[in-house]
Amino acid sequence: MYRWIETTRFLEYRIADRVATITLNRPEKRNALSKELLIELRQALLESDDRGDVSVIVVQGAGKDFCSGYDVATTYANTAKTAADGRSIYRDGLRGDIDSDAWRLERGQELLRTLVDVHKPVIAKVHGNCLAGGSDLALYCDIVLAAEDARIGFPAIRSLGTPPNMMWPYLAGPQWAKRLLFTGDCITGADAAKVGLVLDAYPADELDAQVAELARRISLNDLGVLAAVKRGVNLALELAGAGTLSRLAAEIDSRAHSSHGPRQLAFMADIAESGLKTALAKRDAPFGDGIVKLNQLA
């Protein structure tokens, strides 16, 4: 039996009416995913899974965004500090080989895959930006409901790597997965619902109510039935290769990290010279607003 003492720094956790709500609570960092936040997220998910008074889990973000991605700035800072300290016992960023990078990515994905492994339904409530690692988190959830004006995408492919869980083709199909990931363009919540990347989208001021109503309806069912449904559908995904691909995708991502193409090298140089914010703006400038616009003609 899992027992969790509520000592979170990066999450808010509450239970009401059989729904556990986990809120990513780093609004000043646009809820960027750090190792510490991911550990707390796993703890909160396991706590929710263990409790008899919880039937459904909702994951959301505080402030303007669901999640802006992985905390790249902190990662680079920690790597630089480690290098300065000269520590090399652990795989802590000193070694630049593909295997060490893949190992670190796999450990992070193990934390995120708790969303898949818990027996209870998990709903992602997506608003604002849901980018890179934020999309990894959302697409691992059982159901994604989004604000119509949310921005969902993986712009990190323009300079860093690929989605280390690669759920995109299973939800949106191979062509839309390629269209979005070849460019790093984003898609609005409204259009993401049209291509199947999310279940549905609503005006931003209706999103809370829509998620609450779906969670209420799901919570009416017995826990054992909910677990059986989730495990059955996830088994179908596993038989279609989703579980295997999500484990291999971390290694694929590490290969992309080691490609050392001109855009990647320029991005790294810009970070060192001007900082992450300027580097991101320079990287994304050639892509314009970077929003996919579906052809609305009949």
Side-chain angles (χ1 to χ4, degrees):
M1 300 288 285
Y2 188 82
R3 294 292 182 262
W4 175 49
I5 299 174
E6 189 173 352
T7 57
T8 60
R9 295 175 54 203
F10 305 111
L11 300 178
E12 288 184 355
Y13 182 79
R14 64 180 177 84
I15 297 172
D17 301 322
R18 303 198 62 80
V19 178
T21 300
I22 302 171
T23 304
L24 311 183
N25 192 29
R26 300 183 74 200
E28 75 286 355
K29 295 287 188 179
R30 302 172 74 173
N31 299 321
L33 301 177
S34 64
K35 179 180 178 181
E36 293 77 13
L37 185 151
L38 289 175
I39 290 172
E40 289 188 3
L41 175 62
R42 173 175 166 79
Q43 292 173 334
L45 289 166
L46 292 175
E47 170 75 4
S48 303
D49 209 29
D50 194 16
R51 293 181 65 119
D53 59 348
V54 172
S55 297
V56 187
I57 303 165
V58 173
V59 179
Q60 62 183 11
K64 297 180 179 180
D65 300 302
F66 175 73
C67 177
S68 61
Y70 294 105
D71 192 344
V72 177
T74 299
T75 299
Y76 280 119
N78 288 341
T79 299
K81 182 178 185 300
T82 297
D85 291 346
R87 291 182 283 112
S88 59
I89 295 174
Y90 298 104
R91 301 185 192 235
D92 52 13
L94 292 180
R95 298 172 60 192
D97 59 287
I98 289 178
D99 181 66
S100 292
D101 190 28
W103 184 91
R104 288 187 292 271
L105 289 165
E106 289 164 1
R107 299 292 78 75
Q109 289 303 302
E110 285 176 357
L111 295 173
L112 273 180
R113 277 191 62 83
T114 309
L115 294 155
V116 179
D117 294 336
V118 294
H119 291 210
K120 295 175 182 176
V122 183
I123 302 172
K125 183 200 296 185
V126 172
H127 76 291
N129 287 309
C130 176
L131 306 177
S135 68
D136 286 342
L137 192 165
L139 299 186
Y140 266 148
C141 293
D142 300 300
I143 292 175
V144 184
L145 297 183
E148 291 178 342
D149 60 356
R151 294 174 68 249
I152 304 168
F154 207 92
I157 66 97
R158 298 171 180 174
S159 57
L160 293 173
T162 60
N165 72 357
M166 200 51 78
M167 288 297 296
W168 297 72
Y170 292 96
L171 299 173
Q175 290 195 83
W176 268 110
K178 290 176 181 177
R179 166 63 182 87
L180 292 165
L181 298 178
F182 280 156
T183 60
D185 288 340
C186 295
I187 191 167
T188 66
D191 285 342
K194 294 175 183 176
V195 304
L197 193 62
V198 307
L199 176 67
D200 213 342
Y202 304 94
D205 60 356
E206 298 179 16
L207 182 60
D208 286 351
Q210 293 290 346
V211 171
E213 174 59 12
L214 178 58
R216 184 193 71 81
R217 292 177 64 83
I218 293 173
S219 72
L220 296 175
N221 281 310
D222 292 337
L223 294 177
V225 174
L226 293 175
V229 171
K230 175 166 179 171
R231 289 164 73 84
V233 175
N234 282 355
L235 180 58
L237 284 168
E238 180 73 24
L239 291 172
T244 300
L245 179 56
S246 70
R247 287 185 285 272
L248 293 175
E251 182 175 335
I252 294 170
D253 188 23
S254 68
R255 290 175 62 85
H257 291 170
S258 302
S259 65
H260 302 309
R263 289 187 58 82
Q264 187 180 83
L265 294 175
F267 179 69
M268 297 300 183
D270 288 338
I271 290 177
E273 181 177 342
S274 306
L276 180 62
K277 184 176 181 179
T278 298
L280 289 171
K282 188 174 178 180
R283 178 198 71 182
D284 293 337
F287 294 89
D289 66 4
I291 298 291
V292 171
K293 297 176 179 63
L294 297 190
N295 186 349
Q296 301 297 326
L297 297 179

